[in-house]
Amino acid sequence: MRSIYEQVLGADFYKLHPRIQQRFGFCSEHKTASIGHGVMKRIWFNKLVALPLFIGTFRHIMFPQGGRDIPFTIENYAYIDRFGRETVTWIRKFKFPRSVRHFDATMVYSRQRELIVDYLGNKQHLAVDLDISAAANGGIRIRSGEQRFYEGWLQFRFPKLFTGCAEVNEWYDDGKRCYKITVDVRNPIIGQIFRYEGAFQASFIKTEPEAIPVGIQPLRDESRE
């Protein structure tokens, strides 16, 4: 079985730096997880969207807090969810002086649509289509597309004017021997609303699906893609 990122990128997967291939190349059959520790050089948010970001903290979707040199961790586990979909977790924790902020997501591969859907938060209420490509520097670029909200019987698509379009860039710096990442979220009207940039080291551990730690998988799974 190939990882969800290799399935989407096809031959372009091999344009990625070998260390990026390692980070994005494992799947549930490999029984491997990537655990990263590093420092965010800068985290910034637009005060005009402080209230929506604050509401997002209750579901582990971004947060209205900024700073410099913020320690963080990122945990990527691959498993099969209860709907039979290959899934990868993105559990990000940011340790501010007086609080720990979370930004959680689970990415699944949609066989029917042949793309990756990113469920933001710990209850998979917000589903985002992703466009993934190989960057010229051997990194991986992830751009968000259409966004949908699911809660019980309720479901709707967000108009573009009311969404944050995100771009994630992750690459490996051979000179400094570390992974680097930038995340930039923008709105068509307000402009930049959230951003962070930093560097980290990643270790790769063996793990059985039943041994994935508590708090890594979402509290609720959503079948609608």
Side-chain angles (χ1 to χ4, degrees), residues 13 20 204:
F13 182 80
I20 297 296
F204 298 87

Side-chain angles (χ1 to χ4, degrees), residues 75-91:
E75 300 173 85
N76 302 110
Y77 287 83
Y79 66 97
I80 302 294
D81 75 2
R82 67 189 185 95
F83 301 111
R85 300 174 301 190
E86 185 72 22
T87 305
V88 177
T89 67
W90 286 68
I91 307 299

Side-chain angles (χ1 to χ4, degrees), residues 109-121:
Y109 180 70
S110 172
R111 297 189 187 94
Q112 181 178 3
R113 302 173 64 207
E114 297 183 333
L115 53 72
I116 290 176
V117 177
D118 190 15
Y119 289 107
L120 301 182

Side-chain angles (χ1 to χ4, degrees), residues 37-44 63 65-73 92-102 181 195-200:
H37 295 83
V39 174
M40 283 298 162
K41 180 180 178 181
R42 179 174 181 249
I43 302 175
W44 177 90
F63 44 84
Q65 196 164 348
R68 292 184 178 274
D69 300 324
I70 305 299
F72 84 103
T73 61
R92 290 156 285 201
K93 298 177 184 177
F94 306 82
K95 188 178 180 181
F96 290 90
R98 297 182 181 178
S99 62
V100 176
R101 296 297 192 182
H102 297 252
I181 186 169
R195 178 179 173 82
Y196 62 75
E197 55 184 295
F200 63 97

Side-chain angles (χ1 to χ4, degrees), residues 47-64:
K47 293 181 180 179
L48 293 176
V49 294
L51 180 58
L53 292 178
F54 176 73
I55 294 172
T57 62
F58 295 100
R59 296 292 172 85
H60 291 185
I61 307 175
M62 295 192 287
F63 44 84

